[in-house]
Amino acid sequence: MKQFFKLEQLGSTVSKEVLAGVTTFTAMVYIVFVNPSILGVAGMPVGAVFLATIFSAVVGTLIMGLFANVPYAQAPGMGLNALFTYTVVLNFGFSWQEALGLVFISGLFNIAITVTRVRKSIIKAIPKFLQSAIGGGIGLFIAYIGFLNVGLIEFGAVPELNKFTTAPSVLMIIGLILTLVLILVKVKGAILIGIIATTLIGIPMGVTNLSGISFDIVGPFKELDQTFFAAFDGLGTLFSDINRLPMAFLAIFAFTLSDVFDTIGTFIGTGRKTGIFTDEDMDAMENSKGFKTKMEKALLADAIATTTGALIGTSNVTTYVESAAGIEVGGKTGLTSVVTSVLFLLMIFAAPIAGIIPGAATAPALIIVGIMMVSSFADVKWEDLTEAIPAFFTVIIMTLAYNITYGIAFGFIMYVVTRIVTNRSKEIHPIIWGSTGIFIFYFVLMALRGIGVL
């Protein structure tokens, strides 16, 4: 084992790696409960999604550990699951089976760009400030979902704050404060502890419904056949209507874009300063074709995980930034990932309690993850209007229109406009030109349909 993971060569020990694996697990295990609650809104069977979340995390994290030998864990991504449910299914009108098909295609596309030079072009095409705006905008969108899930924002003649007359909204505030306190005092697994504590507090408040508890661990497995390979069913109907092709391509583009930059951002942000990825790895990300270095293998592992997750029955699987928690306590090799994956597998036995966790208990997790994601706004030079305008439209449209793809579209369009007006059109990458043209074409089609021309 020491030889396989190169523990001595990388300056680590088994005990350090085990501790790191446990730490990473406690930092991100909340997704096992949050992901089913989000995908369940799309009509997916919650029990099946619970298991799909676990299995996709186990498979993805094992590949990362055994193939790439790096201490990163994978699971269905926050933001990507929101894109799946609220944009692709509820807004674009695709069935959840078709949405899984789109995720599967984006996974195959990610694999293709990982083993070719295409990823170099994509990485360089979108300016850093726009990447940051997209990441922060998704954070606000996720937090907004958390507020809406418990009715904290009411929509009458004008949107207004809930009067805190309902038990779910009060419970959410209690859970939010509790979880924030746990995070501020640096309690490991704060989000998971917050979800469990809020669920327990909800029992006397009448929000947590104990009648939903079931000690039938086999139950979720009976639902799994509904999602297992459902992506292929979705692919069968996905392209049957030519009028939906523009939306399908937009969805694939949004899934791919979010996943690629989420993963690369995590690797660069945590891997370089800790020495997990060398300068050779960073150069390889842009210049090489294969996957000989750790960076190449890690990117391939991430892409394979998304494809596998879609087949099992969940939205895009991505590398979690929470892996940094394990890295901080000494994780340096894939053994950390193996430990994390084993712990995720044991979560199968938590299935009996998954059904009783109310939305008021998972809403604080959504809000807090949103808070963490908006830190990327710091990379936008807001005093520079050529950056502020595209970034602003990305964020505001994404949140208020309840659509991640539309936010990205407006960001691209306004980026092109600002560069043309300021005589800097040479800065616009061909990929941005092409994407912007596709977005404008889609909005024109949408307008023509709206007035009954098409």
Side-chain angles (χ1 to χ4, degrees):
M1 184 168 65
K2 288 183 179 180
Q3 226 173 359
F4 181 84
F5 292 108
K6 302 178 181 178
L7 295 181
E8 293 181 0
Q9 182 180 334
L10 296 172
S12 188
T13 63
V14 173
S15 59
K16 282 184 181 179
E17 297 295 313
V18 170
L19 174 61
V22 173
T23 303
T24 296
F25 171 77
T26 57
M28 61 180 285
V29 67
Y30 65 86
I31 191 62
V32 171
F33 301 110
V34 176
N35 197 49
S37 72
I38 292 177
L39 298 190
V41 176
M44 297 189 69
V46 174
V49 177
F50 175 81
L51 290 177
T53 302
I54 292 173
F55 292 147
S56 62
V58 170
V59 172
T61 305
L62 273 178
I63 295 173
M64 190 70 77
L66 298 177
F67 177 62
N69 193 27
V70 289
Y72 289 95
Q74 300 192 76
M78 292 293 293
L80 287 159
N81 51 13
L83 172 62
F84 180 101
T85 294
Y86 298 99
T87 297
V88 177
V89 175
L90 298 184
N91 200 309
F92 286 174
F94 291 103
S95 68
W96 61 261
Q97 293 91 340
E98 291 169 335
L100 286 176
L102 292 170
V103 172
F104 179 72
I105 293 173
S106 77
L108 293 179
F109 184 71
N110 278 343
I111 291 174
I113 66 173
T114 300
V115 298
T116 64
R117 291 182 182 272
V118 175
R119 69 185 176 280
K120 175 183 177 181
S121 299
I122 295 176
I123 293 165
K124 288 189 171 182
I126 305 175
K128 179 70 181 298
F129 81 87
L130 205 50
Q131 295 177 36
S132 299
I134 291 170
I138 291 175
L140 281 182
F141 181 67
I142 290 173
Y144 189 47
I145 292 170
F147 286 121
L148 294 183
N149 279 356
V150 292
L152 197 63
I153 307 295
E154 295 180 339
F155 295 90
V158 294
E160 61 179 349
L161 191 66
N162 178 291
K163 303 295 191 301
F164 298 104
T165 55
T166 62
S169 61
V170 174
L171 178 61
M172 190 278 282
I173 293 296
I174 294 172
L176 179 61
I177 294 173
L178 173 62
T179 309
L180 286 173
V181 169
L182 292 172
I183 289 174
L184 291 172
V185 298
K186 302 186 185 303
V187 174
K188 293 178 181 178
I191 295 179
L192 174 63
I193 295 171
I195 291 174
I196 295 173
T198 305
T199 300
L200 294 175
I201 295 171
I203 295 175
M205 294 179 65
V207 179
T208 302
N209 183 9
L210 293 179
S211 64
I213 196 167
S214 169
F215 292 99
D216 179 17
I217 295 178
V218 179
F221 283 92
K222 295 177 180 177
E223 293 183 359
L224 196 58
D225 65 339
Q226 297 178 48
T227 63
F228 207 71
F229 291 144
F232 291 137
D233 296 330
L235 288 173
T237 60
L238 191 57
F239 301 106
S240 59
D241 184 357
I242 192 171
N243 291 321
R244 296 199 303 169
L245 288 181
M247 288 188 294
F249 289 130
L250 280 178
I252 293 169
F253 180 75
F255 277 137
T256 302
L257 190 71
S258 299
D259 199 357
V260 165
F261 285 105
D262 189 27
T263 299
I264 291 174
T266 297
F267 287 157
I268 292 176
T270 62
R272 196 164 204 166
K273 65 182 180 181
T274 58
I276 291 171
F277 295 122
T278 63
D279 289 336
E280 181 188 10
D281 290 312
M282 296 301 174
D283 291 338
M285 180 178 68
E286 294 189 1
N287 301 318
S288 74
K289 280 188 176 182
F291 36 90
K292 298 176 182 178
T293 66
K294 286 192 292 185
M295 174 66 82
E296 299 297 310
K297 292 178 180 178
L299 287 172
L300 182 62
D302 183 88
I304 292 173
T306 284
T307 307
T308 305
L311 295 179
I312 300 173
T314 186
S315 52
N316 295 62
V317 176
T318 190
T319 303
Y320 262 59
V321 71
E322 283 87 346
S323 301
I327 294 172
E328 285 177 5
V329 298
K332 293 182 179 179
T333 76
L335 182 55
T336 293
S337 301
V338 172
V339 172
T340 301
S341 64
V342 170
L343 293 173
F344 263 113
L345 189 60
L346 295 176
M347 286 302 294
I348 290 175
F349 298 103
I353 66 169
I356 70 167
I357 296 175
T362 55
L366 297 177
I367 295 168
I368 289 168
V369 170
I371 292 171
M372 294 174 177
M373 291 181 69
V374 298
S375 64
S376 63
F377 286 153
D379 296 324
V380 179
K381 295 177 182 176
W382 294 100
E383 70 280 3
D384 180 355
L385 285 178
T386 62
E387 287 196 12
I389 291 172
F392 173 80
F393 275 94
T394 298
V395 175
I396 203 72
I397 297 298
M398 189 179 292
T399 306
L400 297 186
Y402 220 60
N403 192 305
I404 293 172
T405 306
Y406 289 170
I408 295 172
F410 268 79
F412 277 33
I413 292 169
M414 298 311 292
Y415 173 73
V416 169
V417 170
T418 57
R419 290 305 178 273
I420 291 175
V421 171
T422 56
N423 295 317
R424 295 161 60 186
S425 58
K426 290 182 179 179
E427 297 178 12
I428 304 173
H429 194 280
I431 288 179
I432 296 291
W433 278 116
S435 301
T436 301
I438 292 172
F439 284 137
I440 292 174
F441 178 69
Y442 169 74
F443 287 131
V444 170
L445 285 179
M446 190 169 65
L448 292 175
R449 280 184 197 157
I451 62 176
V453 175
L454 292 178

